[in-house]
Amino acid sequence: MLNSIRWRITVTYFSLFLLTILLLSGVLSKVLENYFINNLTVSLTKEAIIAQQFIEGSYPANQQGLDALVKELGATISTRITIIDHTGRVISDSDEIALIMDNHLDRPEFIQALDGKIGSSTRFSTTINTTMTYVALPLTHKNEVVGAVRLSIPTDQIHSTLREINTILLFTFLLAILIFVILSLRLSSIISKPLEEVTRSATRIALGDLKHRIFTLAQGEIGQLEQAINFMAEKQQEKIAEIDDKKSKLEAVLSHMTSGIIVVNHKGSITLINHAAQALLGVKAHKVLDKSFQAVLRHGDILTDLNQVLQQGKVVTRDIYIENPTAKSLQLVMAPIYHDKVIWEGVLVLTDVTAIKELEKMRSQFVANVSHELRTPLTSIKGFVETLQSGMVTDQNTRERFLTIIASETERLSRLIEDILDLSKIEANKNKPQLDTILLDTIIDDTIHQLKDQADKAGLVISTSSSFDNIKVLATYDGLKQVLLNLLQNAINYTSPNGTIEVSVKEEPSHYIVAVKDTGVGIPAEDLPRVFERFYRADKARSREKGGTGLGLSIVKHLIESFGGSIWAESLEGKGSTFYFALRKPEDNC
Ligand code: ADP
């Protein structure tokens, strides 16, 4: 309160005013006093001149005559009259007994008068205990100063008049002060009100109410201050909106990205962890925030890497394998975050590379398998060709048998290469095949018809156990044909004569399930989950004998999945197998 502008303005103005008033009243009272005393001196001088003339006119008079004159004159003009000789001895006084009065030669007015001038003085008289104004004139006789006459009057009157004037002045000043206080309070309020409003508004804005604006309609500097604060608030609002926007974008990016992000401060504590990182490491943000990074990922090498990042500003990449919450391979990229050219924090980007690693493993296994598969027929062909070339086989029948083997191995080789090519073609187009609406009855009839000779030779009959009329599925014609061919060929290959092969279909709300059932050798339970893997053979001898490549089911699986369907198998060893595949219905058919 005492520090408020209003109060300070009032106090300053009041002090200035009071000082002025005090000075003014001091000066005024002195001026008035001087004025009255001067006036008094002037009229006293006039009277003194008259007294001087009277006394000089009756000079030299005897003591009694002089006393009578002085007393009468003094009474007439109501003024004390004192006469001294040139030695300063009081020879007559209208109010006192001259004889008992001390020598007056030292009185300043008498000194001047004896010097032939008009002497005057105002001072406190100890004789009568009051302030007196004195005027003295020389008394001359025959052109010689023989003494002096002095008129004196108490200045009480003047002082009481002055006191009255001062009392009036005091009341006037008090009234003026009162009016002034009221006015200065009003004035300071006019000045301070907008300032207080500005202060209140600025505080509101500073506390976060950035939408608040000041409207006091003040002019001048305060008006400019208001505009500046409003402008500042507007800019601040824009900046915060910008930051909020960036923040929400960043949050959206961080929470939706598949890579894990962890930010660690220079003490090694986690300051940020996104959803992906929490999922990858099996932790919850509220439990690990502000906790040591080690608590989340215990790996000696990472701590060393992190130190390099935070102390030397290096960017470090490392692949690690973790077992919890699930076994996976992670790639870690660690980089520094700078703030004012100082390393502030470190960011860790965690990418789950398990699938990539597995794919790499699968690819190298595939290459090894392919090489192995190719080498087997090639070795056999090479062996038979060399034997024939050596001319050691003379028997025509043996030669022909060798040539038949060479031909069949060549055939297997070319089938193998064709299957590998098919597989890579399907894999390449896996995500973007152009699906058509395929009528199942024609494609199944065609396939069965195509395999009829082969089935006849094997002593088998392929039949359909349900009607396929007007059943439409989503697939590619060639792809679905290859699926049916592979499955039916396998059924023929792995079923003994007199067995049966049956194709049937079952309708589901959104798809059809096609089943290819045989009464063949079946697949051992432990092999069943793996028959769709590349080059996996449950019955190696039979597969080789039938010229199998071990890729047929793998091709089938890839094709069905590229149609958006699924495939599975059921089998009982020695009893037979059923391969099922589900295909979607076209949209307008659901
Ligand atoms: P292959 O060329 O060896 O037939 P596939 O990928 O077509 O290769 O099949 C993989 C393995 O699954 C085969 O080697 C065989 O052991 C088994 N298999 C496939 N179909 C049948 C079936 N209908 N009956 C029994 N076993 C089968």
Side-chain angles (χ1 to χ4, degrees), residues 27-41 158 162:
V27 169
L28 197 65
S29 139
K30 201 73 212 157
V31 166
L32 279 175
E33 190 182 352
N34 286 346
Y35 171 77
F36 285 129
I37 287 174
N38 275 348
N39 260 1
L40 194 70
T41 312
I158 293 174
L162 273 173

Side-chain angles (χ1 to χ4, degrees), residues 419 486-487 490-495 518 520-523 531-533 535-540 543-544 547-555 571 576-577 579:
D419 276 359
N486 283 6
L487 291 178
N490 275 352
I492 297 169
N493 288 342
Y494 299 101
T495 308
D518 64 53
V521 294
I523 304 164
V531 287
F532 295 101
E533 287 176 22
F535 299 113
Y536 193 86
R537 295 176 176 100
D539 185 343
K540 289 191 181 57
S543 166
R544 205 161 284 281
T549 60
L551 290 173
L553 285 181
S554 182
I555 291 172
S571 183
S577 318
F579 284 83

Side-chain angles (χ1 to χ4, degrees), residues 325-499:
T326 52
K328 57 174 88 72
S329 301
L330 294 179
Q331 187 194 57
L332 259 78
V333 180
M334 290 165 265
I337 300 176
Y338 286 88
H339 182 74
D340 275 347
K341 292 183 184 165
V342 174
I343 300 171
W344 201 247
E345 289 172 316
V347 61
L348 286 92
V349 183
L350 290 84
T351 314
D352 188 349
V353 289
T354 317
I356 299 171
K357 292 258 175 201
E358 263 166 23
L359 204 66
E360 272 169 17
K361 203 166 125 195
M362 266 168 66
R363 278 198 200 289
S364 58
Q365 262 175 11
F366 180 68
V367 170
N369 282 338
V370 167
S371 322
H372 176 75
E373 293 296 327
L374 290 174
R375 198 179 296 126
T376 319
L378 271 176
T379 317
S380 146
I381 292 168
K382 198 174 162 225
F384 284 113
V385 168
E386 277 171 4
T387 316
L388 286 173
Q389 275 175 334
S390 69
M392 280 161 69
V393 184
T394 47
D395 175 42
Q396 188 58 24
N397 282 343
T398 313
R399 284 168 72 103
E400 271 175 23
R401 199 163 50 86
F402 278 15
L403 283 171
T404 314
I405 294 172
I406 291 171
S408 110
E409 289 295 306
T410 315
E411 183 64 26
R412 197 152 77 95
L413 207 56
S414 95
R415 243 195 336 271
L416 193 65
I417 289 167
E418 239 161 67
D419 276 359
I420 291 169
L421 286 176
D422 277 351
L423 203 58
S424 69
K425 226 185 289 169
I426 299 161
E427 276 195 340
N429 286 326
K430 197 171 183 178
N431 296 322
K432 45 186 172 352
Q434 184 62 47
L435 300 184
D436 299 317
T437 302
I438 310 289
L439 273 167
L440 270 187
D441 57 350
T442 29
I443 198 165
I444 287 175
D445 282 352
D446 284 357
T447 319
I448 294 175
H449 185 71
Q450 198 177 330
L451 290 172
K452 190 165 182 327
D453 285 353
Q454 225 177 304
D456 286 349
K457 267 188 218 157
L460 297 164
V461 179
I462 305 173
S463 61
T464 53
S465 65
S466 51
S467 164
F468 291 91
D469 283 352
N470 229 6
I471 291 180
K472 293 175 193 157
V473 291
L474 275 178
T476 63
Y477 186 87
D478 292 346
L480 187 54
K481 184 81 181 283
Q482 195 168 356
V483 167
L484 289 166
L485 272 174
N486 283 6
L487 291 178
L488 286 169
Q489 233 156 15
N490 275 352
I492 297 169
N493 288 342
Y494 299 101
T495 308
S496 311
N498 296 325

Side-chain angles (χ1 to χ4, degrees), residues 280-281 296-302 305 317-332 350-358 361:
L280 284 174
L281 302 174
V296 176
L297 206 53
R298 253 179 217 287
H299 205 285
D301 291 336
I302 300 176
D305 295 343
T317 306
R318 177 176 291 282
D319 285 351
I320 59 162
Y321 177 79
I322 58 165
E323 296 207 322
N324 290 313
T326 52
K328 57 174 88 72
S329 301
L330 294 179
Q331 187 194 57
L332 259 78
L350 290 84
T351 314
D352 188 349
V353 289
T354 317
I356 299 171
K357 292 258 175 201
E358 263 166 23
K361 203 166 125 195

Side-chain angles (χ1 to χ4, degrees), residues 246-265:
K246 277 187 188 162
K247 201 176 151 214
S248 48
K249 275 184 195 154
L250 190 69
E251 270 169 9
V253 169
L254 279 178
S255 58
H256 291 108
M257 66 193 291
T258 48
S259 292
I261 301 282
I262 299 177
V263 178
V264 175
N265 67 13

